[in-house]
Amino acid sequence: MTKRLAEVAKKAGVSEATVSRVLNGRSGVSEATRTSVLTALDVLGYERPTKLRGERARLVGLVLPELQNPIFPALAEVVTGSLAQRGFTPALCARTIGGVPESDYVEMLLDHQVSGVIFAGGSYALTDASHEHYRRLTDRGLPVVLVNAGVDELGFPRVSTDDAVAVEQAYGHLRSLGHERIGMVLGPEGHVPSGRKLAAMIQVAGDEPASVERSSFSMEGARVAATKLVERGVTGIICASDVLALGAIRAARRLGKAVPADVSVVGFDDSAFMTCTDPPLTTVRQPIETMGQAAVDILVSQIEEARVLSDELLFEPELVVRGSTGPAPAP
């Protein structure tokens, strides 16, 4: 018990005596200090005293699919900073291959009495994935916000990049360079944002058939998918992420093609270091800072005003032209 008091006191920045007063429900402690102590208790993984368990902490979960793709650390930086400014403590939960599944993170966050959860790139974006753990959040009445498109029936508010505008920008750019055979490397079947991008491609390309390959969101998966496109004579490739775009560049080079002289590649995200790749990547930038702040604003409004929201906010992306796109090769 003494060790626990010391750890919580250090985390909350108060004395052990103050922690003891909070845990025993005694008076003489400000509400702000009390909240700090309870949040420290939650963050350190200690159970609250029975009489305090019914209260939610000012703790918010941020659940990400990975941290290897630079777009997710960028989002985490925006969200955690914005939460801290609003008086909430962020709890970052990043899944890894073979690691803790999203459903287990949800259980942990519920056990810690979080005030709400922000998800990015989760199972909600896959139509064939299990969504039962999201329904548990709904049953508890817990505020939730999703970043980017997900299955409609969950009913959570979403903060999304407009996939249709992103494809229009990328496709228009490649067409302006003279490319006629334009293909796509998208995420797996059932990935909702990829489905939106494909629908937009069919719309803007008219009767022109779009050559499409599916991939996991990995560089090697994209290399395999893009190889098939290049072998079919595609000269312009639109990818559903920057990581997929880098895989497509690798595919072209392994086939003896030059980028952009023979094959032009457009990514999606404009994540960190895309100006440092060889060549620098032309990509469609997601407005991550604006989206992250909007996600926090929506979540906090639900927490503090107990409002039920189910809208989707669409944010317009921006085409960033760099060195991975160029004029179509002469026939």
Side-chain angles (χ1 to χ4, degrees):
M1 175 64 74
T2 302
K3 179 183 176 183
R4 183 176 75 165
L5 285 175
E7 288 182 349
V8 174
K10 182 179 179 181
K11 187 74 174 176
V14 299
S15 68
E16 292 182 29
T18 298
V19 173
S20 179
R21 284 197 294 273
V22 172
L23 297 183
N24 289 299
R26 295 174 185 165
S27 60
V29 180
S30 70
E31 188 59 33
T33 299
R34 183 172 175 276
T35 298
S36 295
V37 170
L38 293 178
T39 299
L41 202 72
D42 295 328
V43 170
L44 291 169
Y46 291 123
E47 287 191 8
R48 294 186 179 201
T50 304
K51 59 187 174 183
L52 300 177
R53 288 180 191 170
E55 300 181 22
R56 286 181 180 162
R58 287 184 70 81
L59 188 69
V60 170
L62 173 60
V63 184
L64 304 176
E66 58 169 313
L67 292 176
Q68 291 181 320
N69 185 335
I71 200 66
F72 293 116
L75 176 66
E77 182 178 7
V78 174
V79 170
T80 55
S82 185
L83 284 170
Q85 289 176 352
R86 306 291 288 271
F88 291 87
T89 300
L92 178 61
C93 304
R95 294 180 286 125
T96 57
I97 296 174
V100 179
E102 190 176 68
S103 57
D104 286 359
Y105 272 134
V106 167
E107 291 300 320
M108 283 189 268
L109 292 170
L110 287 173
D111 288 344
H112 281 83
Q113 300 285 335
V114 295
S115 296
V117 186
I118 295 174
F119 290 92
S123 301
Y124 64 86
L126 300 170
T127 57
D128 57 354
S130 172
H131 300 134
E132 190 58 37
H133 53 289
Y134 299 117
R135 296 188 178 94
R136 292 209 59 215
L137 297 172
T138 302
D139 292 342
R140 295 281 190 96
L142 201 69
V144 172
V145 177
L146 309 179
V147 178
N148 277 324
V151 294
D152 291 330
E153 58 265 26
L154 292 176
F156 295 134
R158 289 162 288 175
V159 174
S160 306
T161 300
D162 193 324
D163 291 300
V165 172
V167 170
E168 289 169 7
Q169 292 176 349
Y171 181 80
H173 173 60
L174 291 174
R175 288 290 293 175
S176 72
L177 293 170
H179 294 274
E180 296 181 356
R181 296 186 60 80
I182 300 172
M184 304 185 83
V185 176
L186 299 176
E189 292 283 350
H191 182 246
V192 177
S194 291
R196 289 186 174 188
K197 289 181 176 68
L198 179 56
M201 180 67 168
I202 293 172
Q203 182 71 28
V204 297
D207 294 333
E208 179 185 332
S211 187
V212 177
E213 289 293 333
R214 299 279 186 171
S215 168
S216 61
F217 280 96
S218 68
M219 200 177 299
E220 183 57 25
R223 185 194 65 79
V224 173
T227 295
K228 297 175 183 177
L229 295 179
V230 177
E231 288 177 337
R232 289 186 210 137
V234 166
T235 65
I237 303 176
I238 299 171
C239 300
S241 78
D242 290 342
V243 171
L244 296 185
L246 296 180
I249 291 173
R250 180 177 294 180
R253 285 180 171 158
R254 288 194 180 181
L255 291 171
K257 303 288 187 180
V259 177
D262 299 312
V263 179
S264 287
V265 178
V266 182
F268 178 80
D269 284 335
D270 195 27
S271 46
F273 311 119
M274 292 305 106
T275 59
C276 305
T277 58
D278 181 25
L281 186 67
T282 293
T283 186
V284 180
R285 176 182 295 158
Q286 292 201 72
I288 286 298
E289 183 169 351
T290 305
M291 291 171 64
Q293 291 175 348
V296 172
D297 289 344
I298 293 170
L299 190 79
V300 172
S301 71
Q302 291 182 90
I303 293 171
E304 297 182 345
E305 301 173 26
R307 291 191 297 161
V308 178
L309 303 171
S310 59
D311 297 333
E312 180 177 23
L313 296 182
L314 290 178
F315 289 82
E316 186 163 331
E318 176 188 359
L319 178 70
V320 181
V321 178
R322 300 192 181 106
S324 66
T325 52

